[in-house]
């Protein structure tokens, strides 16, 4: 590998990590609380409220229904309003985050459903406040599942970030399209694929490790 090619791939890998890292952080910041709200407002739960749960669930479902490549184009005015441009790595973080939040919310809701109801009832009988139940029972018990959910989300974001390269973002997707596809450079395409595979393997291994450590039963 030439030094020029090495620098191109190194820079593109850094761009991909930047886009995926920031969007994963933001999607966790908004998606996990959203998933908790969806869970506690479900029918039969301690904050059951269809007037909150149904509209919120509908918005989340709509967010999950829009294909990522269409979402990027659809929210261009919003992206431009938020970061001043719709081209570049920082601009790509906006659609990446918006696409990931509904998935994180639904996966967190699903994980919380698996928490035994007896634990919540026991905490309620001991006088725990709703916030204590959420923090010390629900989120504590669901931690391994939430880590697994975020691992899946991050891997999905790596794929989406490559797709964002087709519409102005940087990263490995742009390199694969500019060099691997438009110039049909097989060497750089091979290296791009290898880096993406290693990236996904690394994220999955780290996620498995953290989930295992967080599992109280292991």
């Amino acid at each position: 590998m030439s030094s020029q090619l090495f620098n191109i791939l190194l820079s593109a890998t850094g761009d991909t990590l930047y886009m995926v890292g920031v969007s994963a952080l933001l999607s966790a910041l908004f998606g996990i609380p959203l998933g908790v709200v969806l869970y506690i407002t479900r029918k039969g739960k301690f904050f059951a409220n269809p007037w909150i749960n149904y509209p919120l669930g509908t918005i989340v479902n709509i967010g999950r229904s829009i294909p990522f490549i269409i979402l990027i184009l659809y929210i261009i005015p919003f992206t431009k309003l938020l970061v001043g441009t719709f081209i570049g790595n920082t601009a790509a973080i906006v659609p990446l985050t918006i696409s990931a939040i509904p998935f994180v919310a639904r996966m967190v809701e699903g994980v919380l459903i698996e928490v035994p109801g007896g634990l919540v009832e026991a905490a309620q009988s001991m006088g725990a406040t709703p916030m204590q139940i959420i923090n010390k029972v629900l989120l504590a018990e669901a931690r391994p599942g939430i880590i697994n959910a975020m691992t899946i989300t991050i891997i999905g974001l790596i794929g989406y970030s490559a797709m964002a390269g087709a519409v102005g973002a940087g990263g490995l997707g742009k390199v694969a399209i500019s060099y691997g596809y438009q110039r049909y450079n097989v060497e750089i395409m091979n290296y791009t694929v290898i880096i993406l595979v290693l990236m996904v393997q690394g994220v999955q291994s780290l996620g498995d490790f953290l989930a295992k450590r967080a599992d109280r039963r292991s």
Side-chain angles (χ1 to χ4, degrees):
M1 183 191 298
S2 67
S3 60
Q4 185 185 7
L5 178 55
F6 177 80
N7 290 333
I8 290 171
L9 291 171
L10 185 64
S11 174
T13 302
D15 290 343
T16 296
L17 290 175
Y18 165 65
M19 290 187 288
V20 172
V22 176
S23 54
L25 188 65
L26 291 173
S27 62
L29 199 63
F30 292 100
I32 293 175
L34 186 57
V36 171
V37 173
L38 284 170
Y39 172 78
I40 63 175
T41 58
R42 285 171 66 93
K43 185 179 179 182
K45 303 303 176 188
F46 54 94
F47 273 145
N49 188 330
W51 296 102
I52 296 176
N53 186 273
Y54 185 74
L56 213 54
T58 303
I59 293 169
V60 167
N61 289 343
I62 291 171
R64 294 174 63 197
S65 304
I66 304 173
F68 181 68
I69 193 71
I70 295 174
L71 180 71
I72 294 178
L73 304 174
Y74 187 65
I75 65 166
I76 278 178
F78 178 69
T79 303
K80 198 173 178 182
L81 179 71
L82 212 60
V83 297
T85 178
F86 61 91
I87 295 173
N89 299 329
T90 300
I93 289 171
V94 178
L96 285 171
T97 303
I98 291 176
S99 71
I101 287 174
F103 283 97
V104 173
R106 278 300 185 202
M107 283 193 286
V108 168
E109 182 192 15
V111 170
L112 292 177
I113 289 171
E114 298 298 320
V115 175
L119 291 175
V120 176
E121 290 170 7
Q124 285 175 315
S125 67
M126 288 188 287
T129 64
M131 283 307 294
Q132 286 174 325
I133 294 173
I134 291 170
N135 289 323
K136 298 185 177 179
V137 179
L138 290 174
L139 292 179
E141 286 295 320
R143 197 177 301 154
I146 293 174
I147 293 172
N148 282 329
M150 285 309 303
T151 302
I152 294 169
T153 301
I154 292 170
I155 290 172
L157 285 170
I158 291 172
Y160 284 168
S161 72
M163 207 183 298
V167 288
L172 292 166
K174 183 182 178 182
V175 169
I177 292 166
S178 300
Y179 294 88
Y181 173 65
Q182 293 174 347
R183 303 181 193 179
Y184 204 70
N185 185 325
V186 177
E187 183 187 15
I188 202 165
M189 183 68 94
N190 288 338
Y191 282 125
T192 304
V193 170
I194 290 169
I195 293 170
L196 285 170
V197 169
L198 291 175
M199 207 177 277
V200 169
Q201 290 297 322
V203 170
Q204 186 64 61
S205 298
L206 181 62
D208 290 344
F209 172 73
L210 293 176
K212 191 175 179 182
R213 286 202 61 177
D215 192 346
R216 296 176 178 179
R217 295 164 296 185
S218 62

